[in-house]
Amino acid sequence: SFCCAKGARRTWRNARRDATKRVPPAGCKRRDCAVLIVKYSKTGPAKYASHVDTLRAMGRILARADVSVGYSEGFNPHALLFFSPPNAVGVDSLCEYVAVAAGEERDFIGRFNAAAPCGFTALRVWTTQGNPNLAGVIDGARYEIKSPGIGTADYGKIKDGFVVEYDGKDGKKSKDYASYVISVTTENDDKITAVLKYGNENLRPDRFVGGVRAMFGIDGGDAEIIKTAAFVKEEDVDDFLDKLHNKTSP
């Protein structure tokens, strides 16, 4: 009935309001508070989660793990979570990152993994002072790509022009992505390792594969793509975070 629905909505609002009343670590309502930075993988079924779905899943994981997360202020408070650039849907990743407004937590990785759904796995954790804005500073990513014939292309020709056609919101589009291909290493005829721009300037690995096939006339089946590392000005993000952690450690 309408009354039951109204009551259900009221119950949901009350539960949401009570959730925001959890006491966060001191200072964690500020964007310069102490944060935990979590490196996690998204593989298997989790690789199909969009960025919005990942944000929601992360909130549920942290709640189930009983991690006290800081909230924003204002009329509509939300958990302070700061993600690395979105990963392409359908691509396995071993190097996703999220900064969580929270103090140090005992056995964080164990609690996270016990609460996480299949495909989300915490790998490392750092403590820093303030949000390092990984979404803004990460500018490259390394991918392992397996696909029939992908290693037979002459990648030296890409620097002279690499026009990729793709489906945009308003139909077919094309763009020259030559400057977005940082390096390509051929492992064998069916496997390469590619470092591509990733972040504010971004070349999705599936578009890269499609462009290579079109440019060099390669008939390919399904490509297996794994993101294995992300970079800040050619420095691995893990090393970048190690330095931040050491600077803020007592």
Side-chain angles (χ1 to χ4, degrees):
S1 68
F2 173 77
C3 290
C4 290
K6 185 176 180 181
R9 287 196 298 270
R10 184 180 298 113
T11 300
W12 180 87
R13 286 197 301 268
N14 290 343
R16 186 164 179 260
R17 180 195 61 202
D18 292 342
T20 64
K21 287 183 176 180
R22 298 181 66 208
V23 179
C28 270
K29 286 190 177 182
R30 302 194 317 272
R31 290 177 181 265
D32 62 346
C33 68
V35 298
L36 292 176
I37 302 175
V38 186
K39 179 182 182 180
Y40 64 99
S41 60
K42 276 177 65 178
T43 58
K47 70 181 179 182
Y48 297 107
S50 69
H51 189 61
V52 173
D53 291 334
T54 300
L55 189 154
R56 293 169 179 163
M58 191 62 62
R60 290 193 292 267
I61 293 169
L62 295 172
R64 291 170 183 164
D66 197 29
V67 176
S68 185
V69 180
Y71 280 78
S72 64
E73 298 178 338
F75 180 75
N76 187 28
H78 59 274
L80 294 177
L81 306 176
F82 308 96
F83 288 84
S84 54
N87 190 50
V89 174
V91 174
D92 285 299
S93 176
L94 306 180
C95 52
E96 299 299 294
Y97 300 86
V98 60
V100 182
E104 290 194 39
E105 295 278 348
R106 178 183 54 82
D107 190 27
F108 177 89
I109 291 178
R111 288 157 56 192
F112 181 104
N113 291 337
C118 181
F120 288 90
T121 305
L123 304 173
R124 288 192 65 183
V125 63
W126 296 262
T127 304
T128 67
Q129 190 68 31
N131 170 30
N133 187 25
L134 293 177
V137 299
I138 290 177
D139 56 8
R142 183 176 65 227
Y143 302 90
E144 289 185 0
I145 303 173
K146 295 180 181 179
S147 181
I150 195 73
T152 62
D154 183 0
Y155 287 99
K157 294 181 177 179
I158 283 181
K159 67 179 183 298
D160 298 323
F162 182 53
V163 177
V164 177
E165 291 189 354
Y166 59 94
D167 293 322
K169 293 181 180 179
D170 302 320
K172 288 283 186 181
K173 295 188 176 182
S174 63
K175 181 174 179 177
D176 188 346
Y177 281 104
S179 64
Y180 288 60
V181 181
I182 299 171
S183 68
V184 180
T185 303
T186 300
E187 308 293 342
N188 55 53
D189 284 356
D190 301 323
K191 181 181 177 181
I192 63 172
T193 299
V195 179
L196 309 175
K197 285 190 176 182
Y198 167 62
N200 292 326
E201 292 186 306
N202 184 52
L203 172 55
R204 284 172 35 172
D206 53 338
R207 289 183 183 170
F208 168 75
V209 172
V212 168
R213 288 173 174 171
M215 182 173 179
F216 297 102
I218 299 172
D219 295 326
D222 293 336
E224 297 180 24
I225 305 174
I226 304 175
K227 186 170 69 178
T228 58
F231 302 99
V232 177
K233 296 181 179 178
E234 301 183 357
E235 181 179 33
D236 191 292
V237 173
D238 286 13
D239 296 332
F240 173 78
L241 293 174
D242 283 342
K243 292 177 181 177
L244 286 183
H245 174 77
N246 292 335
K247 284 182 180 179
T248 56
S249 296

